[in-house]
Amino acid sequence: MKYSRLIAGTMTWGSWGKQLSKRDMVDLMHHCLSNNITTFDHADIYGGYTTEADFGKAFTDSGIKRDDIQLISKCGIQHLSDNRNNKVKHYNYSKEYIIWSVEESLKNLETEYLDLLLLHRPSPLMVAEDIAEAITILKKDGKIKDFGVSNFTPSQMELIGLRMDIDVNQIEFSLTQHTAMHDGTLDYITTSGIKPMAWSPLGSVFKEDNEQTRRIHKQLGELMDKYNATEDQLLLAWIMKHPAGIHPVVGTTNKTRLKQAVEASKIDLELEDWFLILVASQGHKVP
């Protein structure tokens, strides 16, 4: 595989979350690699445009070979931050901005190339030709290897895909947010040969206490002994059962949970168990 089955999301590594020290980041990188997590997911905006640079300093000190990992970053969102002079949150996908943003990410990550660049969110003003020109230049210059999108609908993927190949779409997908199975997104991804990645793969199961999450906890509890698995692992296994071949982006910095997440890839849910979990989320039988 070009990317590891489980992907380490770095959004909470810096000031937006755990505020890991350089030493802690180095340690966590090595822990990921020792558990076959070789892909690290970034975005320029994480930490208010600071997390990439924090990671880059740690990576340089880590002794890890660049060829042993894959770095993903995203651009386009203009975030309200002390580090940017933006009046309102918006999107910018001009040719010049995309190229500049990638060069900033490379400088901050202290690397010569990105394995994957994603457009972070679709913009109503994006022009496919402008994006294609930027991506063509970046690939020609060896600054990115693959190109993709994030949070794009089928029609938006088709718009961009007419001008260039889309390798990846990173979408929100979980047991509690699975509309991509029903609105054509995963169908389009599959038929177009696009690799899906899923952010927030555990959804709201551990964040909210409501009728839906209580049903889910009950059903998962009845399956834990059968699969010798935690609830987290069953949620990830449920995602990875989908034939699209979804790569979950796991945001935890907890070493035990990261190791357990990788082990979830070995769980093959039985057909009816997969549907039992789906029904618990929906609160009704399938049509």
Side-chain angles (χ1 to χ4, degrees):
M1 281 188 241
K2 195 173 284 189
Y3 308 101
S4 56
R5 192 68 181 91
L6 275 292
I7 295 171
T10 66
M11 188 176 73
T12 63
W13 285 34
S15 64
W16 280 4
K18 299 299 183 180
Q19 302 183 47
L20 299 179
S21 67
K22 182 164 67 173
R23 179 180 293 179
D24 289 338
M25 284 194 182
V26 169
D27 187 43
L28 192 54
M29 288 177 201
H30 282 286
H31 179 75
C32 286
L33 264 63
S34 67
N35 286 281
N36 297 316
I37 300 176
T38 61
T39 307
F40 297 86
D41 179 73
H42 289 270
D44 57 353
I45 64 171
Y46 290 168
Y49 301 96
T50 65
T51 300
E52 282 186 331
D54 291 339
F55 183 97
K57 292 182 179 70
F59 173 63
T60 298
D61 284 2
S62 70
I64 296 169
K65 295 179 181 178
R66 179 63 180 87
D67 290 345
D68 290 343
I69 66 168
Q70 303 83 47
L71 294 177
I72 302 170
S73 196
K74 313 178 197 73
C75 75
I77 296 179
Q78 298 298 293
H79 192 66
L80 294 178
S81 166
D82 292 339
N83 297 307
R84 290 285 175 94
N85 186 27
N86 294 323
K87 294 182 293 185
V88 63
K89 182 182 178 183
H90 63 285
Y91 311 109
N92 187 344
Y93 289 123
S94 68
K95 170 186 169 182
E96 295 76 17
Y97 179 77
I98 293 172
I99 293 172
W100 177 85
S101 181
V102 168
E103 290 173 345
E104 285 294 296
S105 289
L106 295 180
K107 181 174 66 177
N108 289 329
L109 290 167
E110 302 192 20
T111 185
E112 294 182 352
Y113 65 93
L114 295 176
D115 294 272
L116 173 63
L117 171 69
L118 302 176
L119 306 184
H120 206 155
R121 284 190 178 274
S123 169
L125 297 180
M126 61 188 176
V127 178
E129 290 79 5
D130 293 346
I131 295 169
E133 285 185 30
I135 299 308
T136 299
I137 291 170
L138 289 167
K139 284 190 172 183
K140 182 181 177 182
D141 292 345
K143 294 178 179 178
I144 66 172
K145 290 189 174 182
D146 288 345
F147 164 74
V149 296
S150 184
N151 305 297
F152 275 50
T153 66
S155 62
Q156 290 162 343
M157 284 184 279
E158 189 167 4
L159 171 67
I160 301 301
L162 288 173
R163 305 294 185 271
M164 75 211 85
D165 291 334
I166 297 174
D167 299 299
V168 169
N169 188 4
Q170 189 178 120
I171 59 174
E172 182 178 11
F173 189 77
S174 67
L175 182 60
T176 55
Q177 177 48 276
H178 52 261
T179 54
M181 288 197 308
H182 308 296
D183 65 6
T185 298
L186 283 175
D187 297 335
Y188 185 90
I189 283 172
T190 302
T191 58
S192 301
I194 297 170
K195 177 63 65 179
M197 297 177 180
W199 59 271
S200 192
L202 300 183
S204 62
V205 174
F206 301 105
K207 296 176 182 177
E208 299 178 11
D209 180 19
N210 52 44
E211 289 186 11
Q212 181 191 35
T213 57
R214 286 192 287 272
R215 288 195 307 267
I216 292 170
H217 284 301
K218 183 176 184 297
Q219 183 59 70
L220 294 178
E222 293 173 1
L223 294 172
M224 287 170 64
D225 286 343
K226 178 177 180 178
Y227 290 97
N228 189 28
T230 65
E231 288 183 298
D232 302 44
Q233 290 176 315
L234 291 174
L235 290 170
L236 293 172
W238 186 86
I239 290 174
M240 290 186 281
K241 179 78 172 179
H242 194 280
I246 301 167
H247 291 240
V249 180
V250 182
T252 184
T253 60
N254 182 286
K255 291 181 180 180
T256 300
R257 290 185 63 192
L258 279 169
K259 184 176 177 61
Q260 289 175 340
V262 172
E263 292 170 350
S265 64
K266 302 173 185 176
I267 300 172
D268 184 13
L269 291 173
E270 293 180 9
L271 181 68
E272 288 191 80
D273 290 340
W274 190 90
F275 277 97
L276 281 171
I277 295 171
L278 174 63
V279 168
S281 175
Q282 293 179 331
H284 59 77
K285 64 182 180 180
V286 297

